[in-house]
Amino acid sequence: MDFLIDAEMGRRLAAAREWGQAEVRPVGREADRLGRPIPTNHPYFEKVLARGDARTRWRPGSRSAGSAPPRSGRSRSTVMALLLAEELAYWDRGVGVANPGPGLPEGNVIGAGTEEQKERFLGPFLEPDRPRWACFAMTEPGAGSDAAAIRTRARRDGDGWVLDGAKCFIGNASRADWLLVQATVDPNRGRAGQRAFFVEQGTPGLGGFKIEKKSGLKAYESTSFSLTECRVPAENLLGGERPRSDRPEGFKTAMRTFNAGRPVIAANSVGIGRAVLDEALAFARGHGLLGRDRVRDRLEHMKRRLRAARLMCLKAGWLAQQDNIVEASLSKAMAAQVGQEAATFGMELIGTVGARGDHLIEKLYRDVKAMDIVEGTGQIQRMIVARKLVGLPRG
Amino acid sequence: MAFDFERSEELSLLVRTARELAEQQLAPAQRDSERARGVADDLRRGFDSVGLSRLELPESLGGAGLGALARVLVNEELGAGDPGAALALDPAGVALYAVEELAGEGALGELIAPLLDEPGARALLALAPDGLDLGTERIEARLPWVAAARCDLLVLLDRRRAVVVREGLELEPVPGSGLRAAGASSLSVADAPVLARYEDEAGASRALARARLHTASLLLGVLRKASEYARAYAQERVAFGKPIAHHQALAFMLTDMHAAVELARLLVHEAAWWIDQRRDDAAACAACASAFVEVVEASRFIGPAGVQVLGGHGFMQDHPVEKHNREARALSLLLGGVDAAREDAGRVLAEEAAPVALSTAQGEGEWTS
Ligand SMILES: Cc1cc2nc3c(=O)[nH]c(=O)nc-3n(C[C@H](O)[C@H](O)[C@H](O)COP(=O)(O)OP(=O)(O)OC[C@H]3O[C@@H](n4cnc5c(N)ncnc54)[C@H](O)[C@@H]3O)c2cc1C
């Protein structure tokens, strides 16, 4: 066993910290104060671009990049990625999602896309000339957790597909170059009948974008939109007409995005919780409260629980190559809860200062709630664990 | 009177009136009031016309002269409608308690009653911040946040006394996290002359206890609403082939939310009864402090859970649950928050005569089969 964060990891974290403090935190608080997403032409995005953070990890020619990387080293790099995700969320989780780049759908495209699709849709993210976004649209007004119940239909029509339906809460949708839209091609086959389609921005029939007003995480847009007789060419079907047999089917591919994302959301929650803890500590010290048992008990509780949640999250990452379903789901369920606890205690600790509405802890209180909802709610995570643990039947 | 949970006719009628007002006027306007950081005139007229702003004012001063039980029943309804509006619409607020308990009816008539005729007026009560000496001629203080956009009269309260200040009050708007319908400001008291000072330790405890009860009952209303809203939603919303309420994980969560509200309500009602009894101040004050702690602890769970039951929809401002979550936090920070209340309840407990240790009791009965 070794819990050491070595010098190399430490260096990368320090760089992330510096960037977070100088750029991420300020722009996140600005968006929160103004109550709207960071506009696409904000200078912050240019800086992200210049830093090389808006790029895809896909490389042309490397057929399986990302889907089956070399076995050794992978787990460690996942741990590093989680530590960085935690650090970024420490400075602002909403800004992390607002960052340009191929974002949520990248993993699916790398894993299930044809070579042509990777070239066409990820290519522009190799050396992006401007901030570019992509998004993954699964959730619908009528179906979230029960992703198999989505209603958006894709019909074959001549040499293309026609999509009809509505999606909601989709991160970065109105600014995305393309939207990877999950749809049902065969309603009789349930989840097995689902596929994903690239819908390029500006395609006729794609519209009705409405940016939702959220409780927190205001830095990025969560957007509803509709697809009305929206026609896309056959080449836009993820994985092509006849997916290779070794490629997972549509629904499984989509769920993989979420599976891999769970420890990341856990890391985000820990990052938010840590930010609360540090702010609360600074406040308590500044106001001479550290001698009070009630204050100290809260701080001790926050710190201990955050440590535990973080270790669970890192363990899930370390196990990335193996069956880590239990750890991944547990880490997300627990970290979201621990982050919420920290924010609640933080608010109590700073008292009426928190009610002013301009203290960081108050913002974090509003932000953290979403961590128990996105990419599989806390209840869904517990169901997944319970299936493994006690054979909880599906449905 | 024997042990009885039944409400009187009069109280039932009062609750119905408050509920109608809350459901038909406060709740529908809650997002507008929040945005406007104040309530519209028609809401104010509705509130005044049913006499809710004079509920606890003595009859001799033209009030209804009702007690704490009436207050908590009404507050639960108003809190369920819009707790920010409830604060905005009541010019006397909890400052009434300090003036009444420490200074009596004469001062009430002089300081508080006139505000009730002034639309939008607000008297505020705050615990004296740590280190502030209320014994001095002039007061200097800063309150980081008050749920108000205006302050006509400020009562500062500590363990022994209350001082009233009317001049030298400066409000500066702050964004506000919850209760924005009542306004949100920081308040600085700059070299303010003391208008009146009242010394009375028992009065100060009772004033604080009643203020806590007032706040706890508004918060109770918020929690009830969050719980009811989530329950109704969960019975409509379908996932995995059935209403989400019928998935056991959610059924239990909704049950726990409901239970937390029910239990907290009982403590609130009992505390109000103690206040109205005027028999045992220590018991009444401890009961109010405990009720406050219970409601705040319930809010730690119900605030986020209300959002959770609605999933992503709960995180959006189209539904009120994210607002309930914010209002609940803000209310629970008032009057020194949960720590101060826990401290007071604990102090009374420590001062009580130690009970007989039941572990040593032998029992005298004979067992027969
Ligand atoms: C800030 C934010 C960003 C988002 N970004 C995206 C995005 O980019 N792309 C995208 O596709 N989606 C996105 N979403 C949507 C998100 O994935 C869904 O909100 C989430 O999956 C929950 O679905 P729902 O909102 O429909 O809630 P529902 O599925 O209706 O769930 C409501 C409640 O029921 C519970 N529940 C459901 N089924 C069960 C069960 N079987 N047992 C017990 N409890 C159950 C849930 O846990 C929840 O508490 C985002 C949401 C938010 C809040």
Side-chain angles (χ1 to χ4, degrees), chain B residues 148-160:
Chain B
R150 152 176 179 180
C151 178
D152 299 80
L153 184 97
L154 174 68
V155 183
L156 288 163
L157 185 70
D158 70 11
R159 298 225 154 270
R160 295 184 290 131

Side-chain angles (χ1 to χ4, degrees), chain A residues 104-146:
Chain A
L104 208 53
E106 182 183 32
N108 274 353
V109 179
I110 292 175
T114 64
E115 289 315 303
E116 298 71 41
Q117 286 170 338
K118 291 179 204 173
E119 186 65 50
R120 199 168 136 216
F121 294 107
L122 294 178
F125 288 93
L126 280 167
E127 287 297 336
D129 49 335
R130 57 174 173 81
R132 291 173 181 278
W133 289 266
C135 74
F136 177 60
M138 169 71 106
T139 306
E140 301 184 356
S145 303
D146 187 3

